[in-house]
Amino acid sequence: MRKPDGSFWMDLVFPPRCPFCGELMKHGEQTCKNCRTVLPSVFQKELFCVPETVVPCYAPYAYAGKVRDAILRFKFEQEPSVGVFFGRQMAILLKSLSNLPPLDAVAAVPMTRWHRMRRGYNQSELLAKTAAAQLKLPYLRLLRKVKHSRVQHSLPAQARFGNVQGVYAARPAAVGRKILLIDDIVTTGATLTACAEELLHAGASEVVCAAAAQAQSVTDKD
């Protein structure tokens, strides 16, 4: 008889919950039986960076319904286990892409120290660390947020791009690297575009972006 592994005992102490609805699950399940119809797909968006560089951005889910509810809980209700689920799903998607270039590091959209302390964690960093582990790549803090900006979801589409100008700065370690840059949600792509541009200006040889979900409308909260 096979001896239960460590995760089995952890599940007894901390019963796993469905990332989409929060219902209790059995050991080894990824979602509850009611949420098994929420399946990942391939969502792609092109980010137009300066100078004349198109950066692809991939997401396994549309930001709607149960996925939206799950990400909001992850961001605002202290449920980091939801982020672990989405980080794994992102890695599965990226592994399935035949056109993905070889990558050598994973980075995340950064937060200010104040916002990180207030929330308890940077949700994009948790996604990035999980995906990096699944992809067997190092996670590196290659970006800094150097000034505060207004909350993106409170702004119309065009204003979002201006709102993030000069907000981020890349670290010297970005030079020569092929980087996977991760955020939680991509809507207009303004935040990821600004961060990708900084990495490229700092000397990164290539940037590919990924998010847990892609919003279908600029009015979606992110």
Side-chain angles (χ1 to χ4, degrees):
M1 182 176 179
R2 186 177 178 183
K3 190 176 182 179
D5 60 20
S7 63
F8 174 82
W9 299 114
M10 285 296 293
D11 285 352
L12 289 179
V13 179
F14 302 104
R17 292 185 177 274
C18 176
F20 295 118
C21 69
E23 288 295 316
L24 289 174
M25 301 186 301
K26 296 179 181 178
H27 173 69
E29 290 183 329
Q30 296 297 309
T31 64
C32 73
K33 63 180 181 180
N34 293 325
C35 294
R36 286 174 189 162
T37 56
V38 185
L39 299 175
S41 186
V42 181
F43 295 90
Q44 183 175 354
K45 188 179 186 71
E46 292 185 333
L47 309 179
F48 295 92
C49 298
V50 177
E52 299 181 354
T53 302
V54 178
V55 172
C57 180
Y58 302 97
Y61 294 98
Y63 185 62
K66 290 185 176 183
V67 172
R68 181 181 183 275
D69 294 343
I71 291 177
L72 290 177
R73 294 202 325 273
F74 169 45
K75 290 181 69 168
F76 302 114
E77 297 181 22
Q78 296 288 316
E79 292 195 32
S81 62
V82 175
V84 173
F85 170 82
F86 281 110
R88 289 172 178 165
Q89 292 300 311
M90 293 164 70
I92 291 170
L93 167 61
L94 293 166
K95 286 179 181 179
S96 74
L97 300 175
S98 60
N99 61 336
L100 194 71
L103 300 165
D104 52 33
V106 181
V109 171
M111 277 182 166
T112 62
R113 183 177 298 180
W114 183 85
H115 278 103
R116 185 188 180 95
M117 290 177 61
R118 183 182 180 189
R119 184 163 293 175
Y121 53 85
N122 176 351
Q123 72 276 358
S124 298
E125 184 176 69
L126 194 155
L127 290 166
K129 286 182 174 180
T130 302
Q134 297 292 313
L135 296 168
K136 295 181 170 55
L137 293 171
Y139 170 77
L140 301 175
R141 289 186 176 177
L142 297 178
L143 289 158
R144 297 179 297 127
K145 190 169 186 180
V146 294
K147 71 176 186 180
H148 290 282
S149 56
R150 294 176 63 188
V151 177
Q152 286 285 80
H153 68 73
S154 66
L155 301 172
Q158 290 306 311
R160 296 186 185 199
F161 287 88
N163 186 51
V164 291
Q165 292 304 305
V167 169
Y168 303 100
R171 300 181 189 274
V175 175
R177 295 187 184 275
K178 295 180 180 179
I179 300 165
L180 172 63
L181 174 62
I182 287 180
D183 201 2
D184 53 359
I185 308 161
V186 57
T187 306
T188 61
T191 300
L192 282 169
T193 298
C195 290
E197 286 181 346
E198 288 299 319
L199 291 169
L200 292 167
H201 284 316
S205 61
E206 193 162 2
V207 178
V208 173
C209 293
Q214 179 176 309
Q216 307 302 294
S217 167
V218 74
T219 59
D220 290 337
K221 183 178 179 180
D222 64 8

